[in-house]
Amino acid sequence: MIKNIAYWLLSASLLLISCTKEAETTIPDWSFRPLDCDMRQAAYISLRSPGEFIEISSYQNGYPIGYAGIIVGLSSTVMDFNGELEYFAFDSACPVEADRSVAVRIDDGDRGKATCPKCGARFDLNNGGTPISGSDNFMKRYTVIKVSQDIIRITGD
């Protein structure tokens, strides 16, 4: 009982923090055609592993995706209201630079972290794109819908 209460309090506080802070981004709203990631395909299979994130280029099948592309993955720390680990999708554009040509890159060897190659700002992808250093702004988040056990959909609305 106490574990359940502690879990819900922690989840609610993380949700409250991320909901209030995620609005603090310099990246403009950017609608795009929904992108389905089928985790049975080699390109997306790593999305089944907690803490793993992948970069998706700014164009898929001839259509723009995000302002500067997308980073998507399964958090190793944040759970949804069903008690399952949460999927996150972020715009790759650095919120410090706010330029389509400057994309944050996933750090090699430091799971769930990303760094801007231009300004050096670092972000924690596992915790909603929170800034670690070099920025006060969160990474811009997009909506992720779990369509089935194998497919997640990223939308830009």
Side-chain angles (χ1 to χ4, degrees), residues 2-156:
I2 292 176
K3 283 184 181 180
N4 287 341
I5 292 171
Y7 164 76
W8 287 110
L9 286 173
L10 177 61
S11 295
S13 64
L14 286 172
L15 182 64
L16 180 62
I17 290 168
S18 70
C19 287
T20 57
K21 287 291 221 173
E22 85 177 293
E24 296 178 26
T25 184
T26 57
I27 307 306
D29 289 335
W30 197 261
S31 293
F32 56 87
R33 187 175 177 181
L35 173 67
D36 286 347
C37 301
D38 186 339
M39 294 177 278
R40 295 171 294 190
Q41 296 177 346
Y44 303 114
I45 200 162
S46 65
L47 295 178
R48 293 181 183 270
S49 301
E52 290 295 324
F53 289 81
I54 62 171
E55 297 170 358
I56 300 174
S57 70
S58 58
Y59 283 90
Q60 291 291 308
N61 300 321
Y63 294 100
I65 301 293
Y67 189 64
I70 290 180
I71 295 175
V72 62
L74 180 61
S75 172
S76 64
T77 57
V78 178
M79 293 188 178
D80 64 16
F81 288 111
N82 296 320
E84 295 180 18
L85 290 172
E86 187 170 348
Y87 282 95
F88 287 121
F90 308 100
D91 201 291
S92 295
C94 175
V96 175
E97 302 299 324
D99 182 336
R100 293 188 80 187
S101 66
V102 181
V104 170
R105 296 288 175 225
I106 297 170
D107 293 349
D108 289 331
D110 198 358
R111 274 180 54 162
K113 305 291 189 296
T115 303
C116 174
K118 185 170 182 181
C119 70
R122 292 194 72 220
F123 302 91
D124 186 345
L125 304 174
N126 281 305
N127 289 302
T130 58
I132 297 171
S133 63
S135 177
D136 291 330
N137 293 308
F138 280 55
M139 292 181 71
K140 180 171 185 57
R141 282 179 53 186
Y142 292 114
T143 302
V144 179
I145 301 164
K146 192 168 184 180
V147 176
S148 71
Q149 197 64 17
D150 296 314
I151 300 172
I152 58 172
R153 177 172 292 149
I154 303 165
T155 63

